[in-house]
């Protein structure tokens, strides 16, 4: 319940309370905000007035300080926000710090430290295995033993809305000719991103149980992929230029605390797991998140995250199993989510062999210049409400 | 010529002038220094006195501001240092800002933005191909068309001298058993690292000719590698935990300007290159750098960098060919240098089949706990002098 006027079913209701960084024409300083309904709480201003002890954690032009502050501060701040929004007493006090979301220009919400991309959807890995290694077992022998991942380029993680310039690169034609030019197989990957808050110590793995002591929240990720560049470059050291030109993230980071009602058991494991990954006796971190992928306004897929083989907690335990340390602002993504329906065009068009016809009559295998891709998602909240994860959007411009 | 007392043949003579970050017991603030002989110029203090207009660029606890300042400032500062050290007039003025190198504790010299590791030595790639894909063509089909690279973990790049904890991880035994434990095949990789100063714009590739407008200098890199972890994880998305536990770099960044006399033509290309990589008509960036790898004080290899197939300029042009932007502090490394003699134990012991006997009678295939590895390097300087690249050192502790 809130005194604020929020349309029923709004994905940014009082149980979501995602954090972002915005500015307005009236005040061009980037600052931390919380989205609620169609408004944004100017959080530094609100805290200075209502909770000065929290003002330090939300100061500055990014979420970095809040991320680093750790789970106690995260819980205290969320508790304060909930109180302010539910108790009529705060109507006037908070009211002066509400800004229409339509006035806000959103920024990359935190300084991305390292970016890691996983490959956690069995359906996606199976589909790509069938396409790229026909006649072989589609999953590589390691796939069910560990969450496969690799490092991506942190410096080209951009906020939703940033134009994506079609990358150029080397590719090899079916006849073996090697040419350089704009990618002809530019694709999307609909993913969930985990944002690390509290750092860890070099040499000390982070156990499954410590997941929510380190991870602050989640965002949506579109890990744009140039399939032709990737196919030619990736053996033996993995994807590089096929990915590194841009990775878009949604501007609102939804705290893990907002996803309590979305937590589900991951699928049954068909291969026994080593102890550091075995989550049978640990808190469950499967998440019932439903995504929608739109191409030029038309829904092309509704992938489900609930059946992801590897959870965010397992990805984190694996990432740190060798003693690699975490820094505030580390971002790791799930890999393409292809539960039920696939989250990439290479799967939707089956490697370009089965073009999609959109409702407007246009036909696509991969992305054309001018195409706009929008990924949104929701999760179940308390009392039948929905928790929104916002939107990650990007338009392709000619390279 | 200098008024300073520098032993003849010292690798940090007046033509080297490398930059680092240090503190002393007397002044615990990390600050920028320049190594000359066995002393360090306290650069912020010297600039405040002798060149106030340069003091801003060398302020702060890291090289970041200097890196970002760009090639004009780099040249001006180097020119000033050369003048101060050669003109007797500065003896007293500079003398008060010289600190014995033995009093200094060195820091990671810059904030590492993204870290990329290449695979630019034909000898190394050939050796590994022979070991891992016996009976096949050792180089993958793409190898001579593009410098293969992948992103590593920037957050675990550490300065020389940092203890390296033996990483644990999953590995598969020859009989197919999958276990978790401390790596049994912990290795080194002797590499050269390029440090990016001036950033570039997203969507705009950096041409071969612009290499020295963006790259500030070089350091030595030991890209520690857990071969057993890597072998099990790396198909299909490349190395991850086998590398991400630690990457050590030397504390002194040698500016490109110090390597003028080391520039050589790269080897003849046996495959025609696409225009963005074709350096036949561009400034040559092969580098005649000679490395020495010591294990517990014994030289085990003297690899030569001069024959590296891909130059630093080509690596940079490739890294940005898709429009990926550079940030100040980006670090990219050459990959193991195996010209003449190989820069890794997996090659020296031929995949563990031919153990090395050290002069003290000890036998090694891979690294044992307590082992100390030291990589040093020199390059030709003016008038028969040597340019030193310093040392990257690390000791293995039990995991």
């Amino acid at each position: 319940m809130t005194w604020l006027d929020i349309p029923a079913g709004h994905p940014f209701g009082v149980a979501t309370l995602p954090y972002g960084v915005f500015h307005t024409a009236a005040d061009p300083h980037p600052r931390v905000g919380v989205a609620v309904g169609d408004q944004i709480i100017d959080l530094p201003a609100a805290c200075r007035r209502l909770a000065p002890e929290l003002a330090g954690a939300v100061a500055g032009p990014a979420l970095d300080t809040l991320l680093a502050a750790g789970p106690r501060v995260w819980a205290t701040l969320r508790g304060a926000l909930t109180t302010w929004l539910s108790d009529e007493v705060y109507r006037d006090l908070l009211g002066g710090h509400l800004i229409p979301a339509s006035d806000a220009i959103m920024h990359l919400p935190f300084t991305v430290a390292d970016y890691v991309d996983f490959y956690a959807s069995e359906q996606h890995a199976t589909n790509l295995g069938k396409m790229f290694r026909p006649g072989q077992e589609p999953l590589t022998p390691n796939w069910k033993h560990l969450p496969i991942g690799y490092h991506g380029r942190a410096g080209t993680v951009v906020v939703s809305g940033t134009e994506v310039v079609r990358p150029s690169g080397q590719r090899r034609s079916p006849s073996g000719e090697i040419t350089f030019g704009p990618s002809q197989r530019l694709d999307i990957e609909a993913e969930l991103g985990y944002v690390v808050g509290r750092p860890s110590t070099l040499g000390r793995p982070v156990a499954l149980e410590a997941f929510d002591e380190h991870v602050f929240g989640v965002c949506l990720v579109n890990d744009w992929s140039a399939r032709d560049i990737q196919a030619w470059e990736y053996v033996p050291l993995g994807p590089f230029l096929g990915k590194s030109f841009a990775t878009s993230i949604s501007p609102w980071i939804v705290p893990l605390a907002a996803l309590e009602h979305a937590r589900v058991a991951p699928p049954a494991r068909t291969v026994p797991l080593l102890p550091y990954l075995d989550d049978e006796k640990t808190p469950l971190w499967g998440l019932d998140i439903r995504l929608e992928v739109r191409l030029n306004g038309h829904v092309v897929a509704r992938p489900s995250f609930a059946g992801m083989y590897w959870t965010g907690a397992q990805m984190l335990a694996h990432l740190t199993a060798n003693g690699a340390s975490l820094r505030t602002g580390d971002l790791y993504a799930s890999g393409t989510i292809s539960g039920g329906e696939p989250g990439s065009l290479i799967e939707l068009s089956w490697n370009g062999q089965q073009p999609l016809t959109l409702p407007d009559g246009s036909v696509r295998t991969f992305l054309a210049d001018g195409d706009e891709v929008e990924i949104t998602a929701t999760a179940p909240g308390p009392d039948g409400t929905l928790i929104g994860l916002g939107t990650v959007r990007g338009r392709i411009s000619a390279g």
Side-chain angles (χ1 to χ4, degrees), chain A:
Chain A
M1 294 301 295
T2 177
W3 47 263
L4 196 68
D5 189 24
I6 302 179
H10 198 294
F12 287 166
V14 291
T16 307
L17 302 179
Y19 297 87
V21 171
F22 73 104
H23 82 265
T24 58
D27 181 350
H29 295 93
R31 54 201 189 274
V32 174
V34 170
V36 54
D38 295 322
Q39 302 192 74
I40 294 174
I41 303 172
D42 184 329
L43 200 54
C47 281
R48 281 195 298 272
R49 181 150 185 187
L50 298 171
E53 72 281 7
L54 291 168
V58 299
L63 296 179
D64 303 2
T65 312
L66 177 60
L67 295 180
R72 282 193 199 185
V73 172
W74 306 339
T76 306
L77 179 57
R78 187 170 165 89
L81 286 163
T82 304
T83 303
W84 300 343
L85 289 165
S86 56
D87 191 334
E88 185 78 28
V89 145
Y90 292 94
R91 178 193 286 266
D92 291 342
L93 291 165
L94 196 63
H97 305 299
L98 289 171
I99 287 160
S102 55
D103 288 356
I105 291 142
M106 301 305 298
H107 293 251
L108 190 66
F110 59 97
T111 307
V112 181
D114 270 301
Y115 168 50
V116 168
D117 194 27
F118 282 94
Y119 195 51
S121 161
E122 182 173 358
Q123 296 88 346
H124 175 69
T126 302
N127 286 337
L128 265 65
K130 284 181 185 167
M131 282 181 230
F132 291 141
R133 295 179 295 274
Q136 294 179 40
E137 189 60 45
L139 293 180
T140 50
N142 52 7
W143 201 91
K144 291 204 165 178
H145 292 274
L146 53 83
I148 292 174
Y150 66 101
H151 283 90
R153 190 162 186 81
T156 51
V157 174
V158 296
V159 71
S160 174
T162 305
E163 174 190 77
V164 174
V165 179
R166 180 180 298 272
S168 285
Q170 283 195 36
R171 61 270 165 117
R172 184 168 60 172
S173 72
S175 65
E177 198 195 3
I178 292 150
T179 57
F180 183 90
S183 170
Q184 293 164 353
R185 292 164 66 92
L186 185 54
D187 199 355
I188 59 166
E189 296 202 328
E191 308 194 6
L192 188 72
Y194 297 86
V195 180
V196 171
R198 178 190 273 179
S200 72
T201 305
L202 188 64
R204 298 281 186 82
V206 174
L208 285 172
E209 293 81 1
F211 168 68
D212 56 358
E213 292 169 30
H214 291 277
V215 169
F216 172 78
V218 300
C219 60
L220 295 173
V221 176
N222 187 345
D223 189 35
W224 308 94
S225 299
R227 303 295 179 192
D228 42 359
I229 297 173
Q230 186 184 343
W232 172 227
E233 75 180 355
Y234 91 108
V235 176
L237 300 184
F240 184 37
L241 299 186
K243 301 279 192 172
S244 65
F245 56 95
T247 304
S248 301
I249 68 170
S250 57
W252 294 106
I253 310 301
V254 175
L256 284 189
L259 297 173
E260 272 306 309
H261 295 265
R263 292 174 62 177
V264 294
R269 318 301 184 174
T270 51
V271 163
L273 293 177
L274 286 165
Y276 80 103
L277 290 173
D278 186 355
D279 59 356
E280 214 173 345
K281 290 172 183 163
T282 68
L284 298 175
W285 280 109
L287 291 170
D288 178 16
I289 294 174
R290 290 135 199 241
L291 291 87
E292 246 178 31
V293 181
R294 286 193 185 78
L295 176 52
N296 298 331
H298 310 292
V299 175
V300 293
R302 290 194 173 86
S304 164
F305 191 81
M308 292 294 271
Y309 196 84
W310 299 105
T311 71
Q314 289 173 314
M315 296 179 217
L316 191 73
H318 186 63
L319 196 163
T320 60
N322 66 347
S325 48
L326 300 173
R327 289 183 294 171
T328 297
D330 278 348
L331 170 69
Y332 65 96
S334 61
T336 309
I337 303 161
S338 297
E341 299 180 2
S344 71
L345 292 175
I346 196 170
E347 291 167 273
L348 286 164
S349 72
W350 204 254
N351 208 9
Q353 295 161 22
Q354 299 169 17
L356 281 75
T357 302
L358 302 179
D360 63 5
S362 60
V363 176
R364 289 287 181 282
T365 48
F366 294 94
L367 294 171
D369 291 343
D371 277 358
E372 185 174 74
V373 177
E374 207 176 60
I375 304 168
T376 58
T378 57
D383 309 320
T385 59
L386 279 185
I387 303 292
L389 276 78
T391 303
V392 57
R393 180 187 292 117
R395 188 185 293 272
I396 306 301
S397 67

